[in-house]
Amino acid sequence: MAPPQGQMRPGRQLAVLGAIFVVLYLLVFFSAGASGGWKDRLEPRLGLDLVGGTRLTLEATNTLDGRAPTAENLEKARQIIENRVNAYGVAEAEVITEGDRNIVISLPGENRDLTEVGSAAELRFRKVLKIADGSGTVRTPAPTPTGAVEPTPSGDAAASPSPTPEAEVNSSPSAGGQGGSAPTPTPTESPAATPSPSPSADEDVPQSVEEQRQAVEQKVGAEAWAAASGLQAPADLAADPSLAEKLAPFAELSGREAAVLPTQMQFNVPTISCLQLDDRPPASISDPEQQAVSCEAGSIKNLLDVAKVLGTDVSSATAVRDQTSQWVVSLDFTRSGGDKWTALTREAFNNEGQACDASALGDEGRCRVAVVLDNQIISSPQIQGVLVGSSQITGNFTNAEASELAGYLSYGALPVTFEPQEQQNVTATLGASHLRAGLLAAGIGMLLVIIYSFFYYRLLGSVIFLSLVASALLLFGAMVFLGRQIGFTLTLAGIAGIIVSLGVAADSFVIYFERLKDEIREGRSPRSAVPRAWIRARRTIISANAITILSAVVLYIVSVGTVKGFAFALGLATVLDLLVVFLFRHPIMTMLASTKAFLSPRVSGLGRVLPARSTPTQPRNQRAKEA
């Protein structure tokens, strides 16, 4: 007679499980993102409801043209909002999209009012008046990678390409700018009308701009303030070492403090670096009617004129190929926006109004117009002529670069509007209380399962206990590793999912052990009943776990917010439990079946069925064998 199909070598399955443990915890301790001591490497990523912080959900409504937001618009909005949130200087801030309309912002360990970060993107076109390097020294006129603007003979003809990776704006015309990466958005202030940061953003900061400036003046000292106020142009510290000492206190200002300084002071004081200016909070973005200071390439200060063309004046921007097969950005304006654009290019081309300094000229000696998104310079073309109608931005772009610039321009022109749906502030104390409560609930649930298993199954209860321990270790390692690699965050809802998975694990135990009892009642020995019970119970266990996993997947796909964490934790715990069933529980049962303790009715927990083999019904089995 052939051996039962369920016979196996348990050592191999246990060796595979051991190898999985070794690989998993090697990844936990030595994978990318693992740092600090061994305790730090074993810390899972916890959600705001467990560590405290702020969580805000924004729902996208419609674009300004009345259309529903697209996935591309939503991703652009996420990137802009992420830049604004990062300006708070909070480590590990997270901005993600959920579903097709929601953006969720999470700031661990911080309680802030985040409603302003969801305001519409602000696109501005500003003439560049003057530039200075990081030390405040005025740059001498030299070729700069800024591009040019010049009219073209027809509406769809492109400008002649620049010999360097610069952008050109032509009247098609085209308008140009740099295609390189831009610095982090940097809000600015003007001397006359500086908007005050939101009082709720930082309760320790005075609410009025004048009070904030007085606080900064006291911090830097009267001598430093007087020296900075007297500067009419960026100071050359190399030529006047004593001035460097006077202005040194400004280098100690935070981005929030630098934001309240007058615009000319932000630009002229060389000890105020781009690092400080890039760290200004989003709430301090300057009014379009005021001059502004913005940094380019991380170390070049730009003094920008008032914004005379806004993002709402742009009707569309697309990446296309011109007649020379070069990638360009086609830019169309609204009727009123076209008039503003023509006036701006005329002023820049003729250097009218507030004249641009020689330091601000491009490599062809023309004034430049900066395209500014949330005070971040994304392009700064030279103006080669008075432009009427649509324009093109050229400059040896790749397809990706042209598409990215077009996306910025289109999004600034047609911003997605958001409505705050829910802001949750959790203190660190409350978060720690949630964590303790969640762990206590999980511990109690596991303890009750173990107590019941030992009471009802005795020796088999040890199999349940060891299986739960193995599942818990696998789950813990997986959560730590996934937290670093894909950002999985354990929340209170996730702990609830893990607790529910204990019931799924208990079901698989009951199915297997009760099937084992049925096999013994039918007259088989415990040793032969184990593999046969496994064969019959395996399909049911797989089906039950598969249904749970499928439910978790569907719930994860259709849900948002913390419910996703519940679904992910439930599905992950169920998958790992299924792994333990095959690689630990069945092999251990096979090994126990050959021990004397397993054959003892009082020890094995099979006491109600094993004695049945010595009852008067046993001769019927004997007669069946003799027959």
Side-chain angles (χ1 to χ4, degrees):
M1 180 177 177
Q5 186 179 358
Q7 284 188 356
M8 41 83 78
R9 296 183 180 180
R12 292 183 179 179
Q13 278 81 354
L14 293 177
V16 171
L17 181 63
I20 292 175
F21 267 105
V22 171
V23 171
L24 176 61
Y25 277 88
L26 284 176
L27 292 174
V28 167
F29 280 99
F30 302 108
S31 64
S35 60
W38 67 271
K39 289 185 178 180
D40 296 329
R41 295 169 186 257
L42 286 175
E43 288 185 0
R45 185 174 181 177
L46 301 179
L48 298 182
D49 52 356
L50 300 181
V51 298
T54 302
R55 176 186 175 93
L56 173 66
T57 300
L58 299 173
E59 182 182 9
T61 54
N62 294 330
T63 58
L64 292 183
D65 62 352
R67 300 177 183 176
T70 64
E72 182 180 0
N73 283 341
L74 201 61
E75 175 58 21
K76 290 292 183 183
R78 188 201 66 80
Q79 294 175 4
I80 293 172
I81 291 175
E82 185 174 36
N83 287 335
R84 293 178 175 181
V85 172
N86 288 339
Y88 282 120
V90 180
E92 298 182 0
E94 182 182 55
V95 181
I96 61 173
T97 58
E98 284 190 349
D100 58 354
R101 283 185 176 268
N102 293 336
I103 291 181
V104 179
I105 308 165
S106 301
L107 265 66
E110 294 281 340
N111 287 324
R112 294 178 179 268
D113 182 6
L114 297 177
T115 54
E116 290 186 0
V117 302
S119 59
E122 297 177 336
L123 184 67
R124 309 280 190 251
F125 292 79
R126 298 176 179 269
K127 185 169 67 175
V128 181
L129 301 179
K130 188 181 295 187
I131 60 177
D133 63 19
S135 65
T137 304
V138 178
R139 299 178 59 189
T140 57
T144 56
T146 56
V149 182
E150 58 185 16
T152 55
S154 64
D156 55 357
S160 57
S162 303
T164 57
E166 303 163 351
E168 301 179 347
V169 180
N170 305 301
S171 179
S172 96
S174 63
Q178 283 176 277
S181 61
T184 306
T186 55
T188 61
E189 301 298 333
S190 72
T194 307
S196 61
S198 171
S200 58
D202 191 340
E203 296 179 357
D204 296 331
V205 178
Q207 294 186 6
S208 73
V209 177
E210 188 60 33
E211 289 175 337
Q212 295 177 55
R213 285 184 181 167
Q214 291 176 1
V216 172
E217 182 177 355
Q218 293 177 359
K219 181 174 181 177
V220 300
E223 184 180 19
W225 188 268
S229 301
L231 295 176
Q232 301 300 317
D236 187 351
L237 299 184
D240 189 357
S242 62
L243 186 60
E245 184 177 353
K246 293 179 181 179
L247 298 178
F250 284 94
E252 303 300 323
L253 297 180
S254 66
R256 184 179 297 276
E257 292 168 330
V260 302
L261 299 176
T263 301
Q264 293 293 334
M265 187 177 292
Q266 294 180 36
F267 181 74
N268 292 333
V269 176
T271 51
I272 298 177
S273 66
C274 282
L275 184 64
Q276 293 165 279
L277 297 178
D278 288 344
D279 197 36
R280 290 171 295 182
S284 65
I285 295 176
S286 63
D287 189 285
E289 298 299 325
Q290 302 297 329
Q291 293 183 355
V293 177
S294 182
C295 285
E296 193 172 15
S299 61
I300 304 299
K301 291 182 182 179
N302 289 256
L303 179 61
L304 306 176
D305 199 6
V306 297
K308 297 183 178 179
V309 179
L310 307 181
T312 51
D313 295 321
V314 179
S315 61
S316 67
T318 55
V320 297
R321 288 185 182 271
D322 63 6
Q323 291 181 341
T324 62
S325 297
Q326 296 292 322
W327 282 102
V328 299
V329 177
S330 179
L331 196 62
D332 292 311
F333 294 89
T334 62
R335 177 175 299 182
S336 61
D339 295 337
K340 296 178 184 177
W341 176 243
T342 299
L344 176 59
T345 56
R346 178 184 295 111
E347 177 184 316
F349 180 68
N350 298 324
N351 203 3
E352 301 171 348
Q354 179 73 44
C356 57
D357 187 76
S359 63
L361 299 178
D363 57 354
E364 298 183 18
R366 301 292 185 180
C367 291
R368 297 183 296 136
V369 171
V371 182
V372 186
L373 181 65
D374 276 355
N375 217 47
Q376 172 184 347
I377 296 177
I378 61 175
S379 180
S380 55
Q382 298 177 78
I383 304 298
Q384 294 283 24
V386 179
L387 306 182
V388 180
S390 60
S391 301
Q392 285 183 342
I393 302 179
T394 66
N396 294 339
F397 294 119
T398 64
N399 184 10
E401 291 170 343
S403 298
E404 181 181 20
L405 180 55
Y408 281 128
L409 293 170
S410 295
Y411 186 69
L414 302 173
V416 176
T417 57
F418 292 93
E419 292 183 0
Q421 297 299 305
E422 175 188 9
Q423 176 161 321
Q424 179 184 19
N425 294 318
V426 180
T427 64
T429 303
L430 183 60
S433 176
H434 287 169
L435 179 59
R436 286 193 298 269
L439 294 178
L440 179 62
I444 291 175
M446 180 175 287
L447 182 62
L448 290 176
V449 172
I450 292 173
I451 291 175
Y452 176 80
S453 63
F454 275 108
F455 175 78
Y456 193 76
Y457 292 112
R458 300 185 184 179
L459 178 63
L460 298 182
S462 63
V463 177
I464 300 176
F465 172 74
L466 293 175
S467 297
L468 291 178
V469 171
S471 296
L473 292 176
L474 283 175
L475 181 60
F476 180 78
M479 289 190 301
V480 174
F481 177 71
L482 293 177
R484 295 181 190 143
Q485 302 304 316
I486 65 173
F488 168 69
T489 302
L490 179 63
T491 62
L492 196 61
I495 294 178
I498 294 173
I499 295 174
V500 172
S501 71
L502 291 175
V504 178
D507 284 343
S508 62
F509 288 120
V510 172
I511 293 171
Y512 187 17
F513 293 159
E514 292 303 317
R515 188 63 226 175
L516 177 62
K517 290 183 176 181
D518 291 341
E519 293 292 333
I520 294 176
R521 287 191 184 98
E522 292 178 1
R524 294 183 177 87
S525 66
R527 185 173 301 176
S528 64
V530 167
R532 294 180 181 275
W534 166 249
I535 294 173
R536 296 189 177 183
R538 180 174 55 195
R539 180 178 299 177
T540 305
I541 293 174
I542 293 175
S543 299
N545 282 271
I547 292 174
T548 302
I549 295 172
L550 182 61
S551 301
V553 170
V554 172
L555 185 61
Y556 182 85
I557 293 174
V558 302
S559 64
V560 296
T562 56
V563 180
K564 276 185 175 290
F566 171 86
F568 189 93
L570 176 61
L572 178 62
T574 304
V575 169
L576 294 179
D577 175 69
L578 199 58
L579 185 68
V580 170
V581 167
F582 279 85
L583 298 182
F584 182 80
R585 190 181 309 165
H586 177 45
I588 286 294
M589 287 296 297
T590 302
M591 296 175 65
L592 288 178
S594 60
T595 63
K596 293 182 178 180
F598 191 79
L599 299 176
S600 172
R602 301 181 62 120
V603 177
S604 65
L606 302 174
R608 296 183 179 181
V609 294
L610 286 177
R613 303 187 64 198
S614 59
T615 62
T617 61
Q618 190 172 2
R620 182 184 62 182
N621 295 334
Q622 183 66 30
R623 289 194 299 270
K625 291 181 180 180
E626 293 175 356

